[in-house]
Amino acid sequence: MHPPSPTDPAHGRPTRVPRRRQIGILVFDGVEELDAVGPWEVLSHWTQTRPVDGWDAFCLSADGQPVVGAKSLVLGAHHSFDDAPPLDVLIHPGGPGTRPMLLDPDHLGWVRSLRDSVPLMTSVCTGSLVYAAAGLLTGRRATTHWASLNLLSELDPTIITDVAARFVDDGDVITSAGVSAGIDMALHLVARLTDVERAREARRYIQYDPMPPI
């Protein structure tokens, strides 16, 4: 027996429950751990403490299995490419594992296929190199880890490279600089998808107030 559908009390008609929107964080062998875990900390805190906003965050890997990060941390995935819910936002981290992706037609094809259906494509660190290799950054503003800025330009000379920005919001594509810059990008993402106060709540919770001691 199916549970009854929600009804409009004024008219007694079933009401449509809005689809929850989905943010997927890609993980893969050789991913730079903080590239993925930094945004995860921000976005999971927001989505889990404020479910009323209608967003969920999850991690996905190609086959849904755990991966080994660049510094040997094992990271799990909630979904595979095949069983993940439809994405509204993709976060593609960087790390040494992105280098083989630049020449992997299957991965580049997957990224291109998402461009047709995912409203917002984002990256951290050298994740933007993958976007460049897939042709997603042609003629657009973007950034990456400081040590890979030249490679970003080599992959696509039409890219307008921002060498100073922590992240670059270019509408339906957001790229961030290296590693910890992904936290800045994720906080910006929360503010963009909801409001600044939600982002401030997340920042306060993770106590993100960089004051380097050296």
Side-chain angles (χ1 to χ4, degrees):
M1 203 173 162
H2 296 292
S5 300
T7 58
D8 178 345
H11 303 95
R13 294 194 299 264
T15 58
R16 178 175 296 178
V17 177
R19 178 181 73 84
R20 295 189 65 79
R21 290 170 288 181
Q22 304 292 328
I23 303 171
I25 302 174
L26 178 66
V27 293
F28 48 88
D29 286 336
V31 65
E32 184 66 48
E33 286 90 343
L34 192 59
D35 284 10
V37 176
W40 169 257
E41 183 68 31
V42 172
L43 297 170
S44 63
H45 173 75
W46 162 49
T47 57
Q48 292 175 26
T49 59
R50 295 293 188 176
V52 69
D53 291 342
W55 287 87
D56 296 317
F58 63 89
C59 294
L60 71 160
S61 65
D63 57 5
Q65 296 302 305
V67 303
V68 179
K71 297 175 180 66
S72 78
L73 183 66
V74 177
L75 300 169
H78 303 94
H79 293 285
S80 69
F81 289 179
D82 291 334
D83 66 22
L87 291 171
D88 296 277
V89 180
L90 172 70
I91 298 178
H92 196 308
T98 60
R99 292 304 193 269
M101 290 175 172
L102 303 182
L103 300 173
D104 182 345
D106 290 335
H107 187 75
L108 296 178
W110 177 75
V111 169
R112 292 189 193 102
S113 71
L114 292 181
R115 175 70 287 184
D116 295 333
S117 60
V118 178
L120 182 56
M121 306 281 284
T122 78
S123 67
V124 182
C125 196
T126 55
S128 60
L129 300 182
V130 178
Y131 286 178
L136 271 58
L137 300 181
T138 300
R140 307 192 69 148
R141 294 174 57 246
T143 193
T144 189
H145 188 280
W146 61 265
S148 294
L149 288 166
N150 288 340
L151 180 54
L152 182 63
S153 296
E154 291 169 12
L155 287 167
D156 186 343
T158 72
I159 296 172
I160 305 165
T161 306
D162 192 327
V163 301
R166 292 283 282 176
F167 63 86
V168 174
D169 187 331
D170 197 46
D172 58 355
V173 176
I174 303 176
T175 56
S176 82
V179 198
S180 66
I183 298 174
D184 300 59
M185 187 272 290
L187 289 168
H188 169 73
L189 192 57
V190 175
R192 173 170 159 168
L193 298 177
T194 53
D195 56 46
V196 171
E197 185 51 38
R198 284 287 196 263
R200 287 175 176 159
E201 288 177 3
R203 181 184 60 79
R204 284 195 295 268
Y205 173 76
I206 67 172
Q207 202 164 350
Y208 183 58
D209 188 16
M211 296 178 65
I214 56 173

